[in-house]
Amino acid sequence: MAVSLDGDEFIVETGTHADLWKFKTSQPVRGIDVEFLCGDVTYSTDGLHVIAPASSELSLRSCATGEETKRIVLAANNKTAAKAVGFLPGGNELAVACQVCKGNQKGLLLVVNLSTGLVVRKSRMDIEPEHLRTDPAGKWLCVTGSRNNRGCVLFFDAVNLKQLGGGGAH
């Protein structure tokens, strides 16, 4: 579930569908279909769009209409699956936590330019990522996931993607 920055709306994901609800009325406003939703839906910093991880792609959709306004292909070989995404401050870049489906590499943390769809920074992670949150000030990123079947939390500098710390669950 994602909550808009103004707190007026929230999105609930179920399989390949997400419903946008209004808190005030406690009623669904519209549905958003996504071909293959494989992670958390996230609101844009301006609240006008949501972005959904869809396997090796990201689908940006209008909150007003539910229509797809942009599709970003992360990997042409389908060896990388986006699991979580977050908008960085300013809304021009996305942080994307990806699971790698080849070799012994477990995860990648990417920063993608929203306008061009190009990866502008990346860093390897030794966890299988599940969720990602961005610091509203844009200083750090938090990625949760698993390592050796144990929960794990990692913190990264949002500018250079250097790991700042983290650890496993007890």
Side-chain angles (χ1 to χ4, degrees), residues 1 9 26 81 96 119 137 141 150:
M1 180 172 76
E9 303 174 343
S26 299
V96 186
V119 174
L141 307 167
R150 295 194 60 187

Side-chain angles (χ1 to χ4, degrees), residues 71-109:
R71 182 171 290 254
I72 297 172
V73 177
L74 296 173
N77 58 13
N78 291 328
K79 302 282 187 197
T80 305
K83 300 304 281 182
V85 62
F87 284 86
L88 294 173
N92 298 326
E93 292 183 326
L94 305 167
V96 186
C98 299
Q99 183 176 352
V100 179
C101 308
K102 67 175 183 174
N104 59 2
Q105 187 176 343
K106 295 185 181 195
L108 278 176
L109 181 58

Side-chain angles (χ1 to χ4, degrees), residues 3 7 29 38-39 41 45 47 56 59 69 78 91 104 110 114 123 130 139 149-150 153 165 168:
V3 178
V29 177
C38 64
V41 173
T45 54
S56 61
S59 176
T69 59
N78 291 328
N104 59 2
L110 308 175
L114 185 57
S123 178
E130 294 172 19
K139 294 181 181 178
N149 295 319
R150 295 194 60 187
V153 178

